[in-house]
Amino acid sequence: MKQDNCIFCKIANGEIPSRTVYEDEDFRAILDLGPATKGHTLILPKDHAADLYELPEDVAAKVLPVAKKVAALLKEKLGCQGLNLVQNNGELAGQTVMHFHLHVIPRYENDGQKILWNPTQPDGAELDEVLAKLR
Ligand code: 5GP
Ligand code: ZN
């Protein structure tokens, strides 16, 4: 199902042209217009889901195989030496387009980008408290 006024629905379904690097029945993978690095690709499901929480399980199960294809392409054709998969959910986490997408970001020596987070140093008790909530 498409959602009116969703730009990624329009792109994924070909209503708005895009630089498509891969397409199948369920997904379109396109070059990001504001790439972090050369070849930064977005994998878009053709059916609308705002984020990971809304993404149906069967579609979720198909995303990583597509990411593997795109990753192989980026390595083979652009010679990247590393790769980040990034997937933002919610404004707080940096999501700006509310249609699920997986970023595939090839990494190169001296590409000017960083590792995503700064590690913190909780003690064991804090980690155990989190674990108790999650189990
Ligand atoms: P988010 O911040 O939501 O995880 O990522 C949105 C991404 O979509 C950004 O990296 C941004 O550059 C990209 N983007 C936004 N609008 C368009 C568009 O119309 N076409 C393409 N190809 N990329 C877009
Ligand atoms: Zn959409």
Side-chain angles (χ1 to χ4, degrees):
M1 277 280 280
K2 281 184 281 167
Q3 187 172 92
D4 290 346
N5 301 321
C6 173
I7 184 157
F8 278 7
C9 276
K10 292 190 169 81
I11 291 173
N13 291 281
E15 285 171 45
I16 294 178
S18 62
R19 291 179 175 84
T20 297
V21 302
Y22 171 85
E23 184 181 6
D24 64 23
E25 202 182 322
D26 303 297
F27 299 95
R28 183 186 293 269
I30 63 169
L31 290 183
D32 195 300
L33 282 185
T37 62
K38 185 175 65 176
H40 181 164
T41 298
L42 303 173
I43 299 173
L44 316 178
K46 291 185 176 179
D47 284 339
H48 183 84
D51 55 22
L52 184 65
Y53 294 100
E54 281 191 8
L55 196 69
E57 287 219 5
D58 62 319
V59 182
K62 292 176 183 168
V63 173
L64 217 48
V66 175
K68 275 185 73 71
K69 287 192 174 77
V70 172
L73 196 65
L74 294 170
K75 191 172 181 181
E76 187 193 330
K77 305 289 187 187
L78 299 182
C80 63
Q81 295 128 309
L83 187 108
N84 292 118
L85 295 181
V86 178
Q87 201 275 304
N88 300 324
N89 297 279
E91 267 179 55
L92 189 80
Q95 186 178 8
T96 58
V97 181
M98 300 301 157
H99 175 124
F100 175 95
H101 50 281
L102 180 63
H103 296 259
V104 186
I105 305 175
R107 299 301 301 267
Y108 309 91
E109 189 94 30
N110 301 318
D111 63 18
Q113 298 295 340
K114 294 183 270 194
I115 294 173
L116 198 60
W117 64 86
N118 300 314
T120 61
Q121 294 180 320
D123 59 27
E126 285 175 79
L127 291 175
D128 286 343
E129 195 183 318
V130 176
L131 183 63
K133 285 186 178 158
L134 293 177
R135 288 188 65 139

